[in-house]
Amino acid sequence: MRATAEVFRYGVAARLTLLAAALSGAVVAAGHGQEPGKPYRTAQNIDGLISRIAFGSCSHQERPQEVLRTVVARNPDLFIYLGDNIYGDTRDMEVLRSKYGQLGARPEFQLLRSAIPVAAIWDDHDYGENDAGNEYPFKEESKEIFLEFWGEPKESERRSRPGIYTAHIFRDEEKGRALQVILLDTRTFRDPLAHNRIPSWKNDYHPDPNPEKTLLGGEQWKWLQEQLLVEADLRIIATSIQFAHEYNGWESWTNLPSELEKMVESIRSARAEGVLFISGDVHWGEISVLRAPGLYPLHDVTASGINQDWPSVEPNRNRVGEVVRDYNFGMIEVDWEAEDPGVELRIHDVSGEARVKAEIRLSELKFEE
């Protein structure tokens, strides 16, 4: 996401302040903050099919996060952090670790983690730098801090390969139903974007037609295409940046149109049905729908931010319903008991009110015969 007033540059004095807070117990170490002997639950701890998935992004570690209390009250089966989970913005890994510790010490965060299994991906600010991609020099060090904080199991494939992408499958063998959650890494492998120097484009970036540029990188693309062949009724693809919206000049898939088309073609060629996207980053909430030839409509539920907002909202002809400018989180709820399961997409504000809603059936997320 574009730079905001929350992007800080830490000098020696600030690092000493963070260190003093850590030593005094005001900031817990990354991965700590839970009750001793009771580690936080992750997606790997879930057994069986799930039907209520909550998600959100953009949470500054120094600000209240009351949205998380509202999430807990709605009792989802899983919460997905979509990135900018802290505002790190540093090349000093001790500063980054301390900022995760600040998040871990927040009572709202501890309430969420003690009540609900969590999965996470990163965006730029928790990766390390505003709008950073594969040029960020501390990607491996940042990854280790990320995995430690989010309680990634030691045997996880995430620890044995570059990047943080991963996937989970939740099944009910008796019902013959399966939900797949695919978590993408849009930072580690992404080539530099095309900065705006042309008056006809707006904001920071314009679409770059160079087909050689990548967002996900070769190995992640190969892995994703294999994941799309896994048997599942519903697939939730989590991407830190928006996918299905109209170009608006900020970071998103629209800045690398060949990669966006590659995603569409990957879904088409795999005949992967039931695909939905969830995204964050922009500091507002909305539901977008991308319509492509030979493919069912691709919905993208953007939930942003947990405690971040933005003074303006970009036009989006792919938007369904209204935009949510208040602090928010997203929900996907599936009625697996129905013969043709219903899927409800929602964006809730801090009061719990569903401000935007879209209802679809799994049969609407299938290819025509």
Side-chain angles (χ1 to χ4, degrees), residues 46-298:
I46 298 174
D47 183 23
L49 189 62
I50 61 176
S51 60
R52 294 167 54 81
I53 302 94
F55 46 95
S57 66
C58 305
S59 60
H60 199 292
Q61 66 278 0
E62 295 180 358
R63 294 181 173 181
Q65 302 183 10
E66 293 305 310
V67 160
L68 300 185
R69 298 186 188 278
T70 310
V71 170
V72 171
R74 299 205 65 91
N75 194 32
D77 301 313
L78 174 69
F79 185 83
I80 302 174
Y81 272 92
L82 293 168
D84 292 343
N85 309 314
I86 60 166
Y87 282 71
D89 300 289
T90 183
R91 295 189 174 193
D92 185 325
M93 294 299 100
E94 290 309 309
V95 170
L96 186 67
R97 188 183 300 273
S98 293
K99 290 184 176 182
Y100 273 111
Q102 287 179 284
L103 174 61
R106 295 210 65 88
E108 312 96 301
F109 179 81
Q110 292 185 7
L111 175 66
L112 176 78
R113 291 303 314 267
S114 64
I116 300 166
V118 167
I121 54 175
W122 59 23
D123 200 33
D124 52 342
H125 294 296
D126 43 347
Y127 179 55
E129 276 184 353
N130 183 55
D131 290 4
N134 60 15
E135 77 284 357
Y136 181 62
F138 294 97
K139 57 176 70 70
E140 287 303 319
E141 294 88 343
S142 178
K143 172 185 172 179
E144 289 307 309
I145 295 171
F146 174 96
L147 296 178
E148 177 188 352
F149 180 79
W150 294 109
E152 191 71 18
K154 297 298 182 184
E155 67 277 10
S156 168
E157 289 188 351
R158 274 175 144 178
R159 294 185 178 273
S160 64
R161 63 190 177 200
I164 61 162
Y165 59 92
T166 192
H168 305 282
I169 191 82
F170 307 100
R171 295 188 184 277
D172 185 322
E173 299 293 350
E174 290 186 5
K175 287 188 173 70
R177 295 292 191 184
L179 167 69
Q180 184 185 36
V181 174
I182 298 172
L183 305 170
L184 298 181
D185 182 343
T186 64
R187 294 293 161 185
T188 303
F189 312 99
R190 197 213 69 198
D191 286 323
L193 302 179
H195 285 267
N196 269 342
R197 294 179 178 86
I198 305 172
S200 59
W201 298 108
K202 62 181 179 178
N203 297 324
D204 287 351
Y205 304 105
H206 66 81
D208 188 338
N210 184 351
E212 300 302 315
K213 283 196 171 183
T214 185
L215 200 160
L216 300 184
E219 287 303 309
Q220 186 175 189
W221 269 118
K222 180 181 177 182
W223 170 87
L224 175 60
Q225 289 160 348
E226 292 170 352
Q227 290 297 317
L228 292 174
L229 297 173
V230 172
E231 183 180 345
D233 300 282
L234 182 65
R235 307 171 196 271
I236 298 174
I237 299 181
T239 165
S240 71
I241 54 175
Q242 289 186 291
F243 176 79
H245 73 128
E246 181 185 20
Y247 160 79
N248 63 29
W250 302 123
E251 283 195 290
S252 80
W253 283 76
T254 61
N255 293 316
L256 293 172
S258 63
E259 292 288 86
L260 192 154
E261 179 54 38
K262 187 173 183 176
M263 176 67 80
V264 169
E265 179 54 33
S266 295
I267 296 169
R268 256 195 312 245
S269 61
R271 294 193 67 81
E273 298 184 325
V275 171
L276 298 171
F277 290 82
I278 58 176
S279 60
D281 177 61
V282 291
H283 298 186
W284 66 76
E286 64 183 348
I287 298 175
S288 305
V289 180
L290 180 67
R291 292 175 170 83
L295 185 59
Y296 52 86
L298 293 175

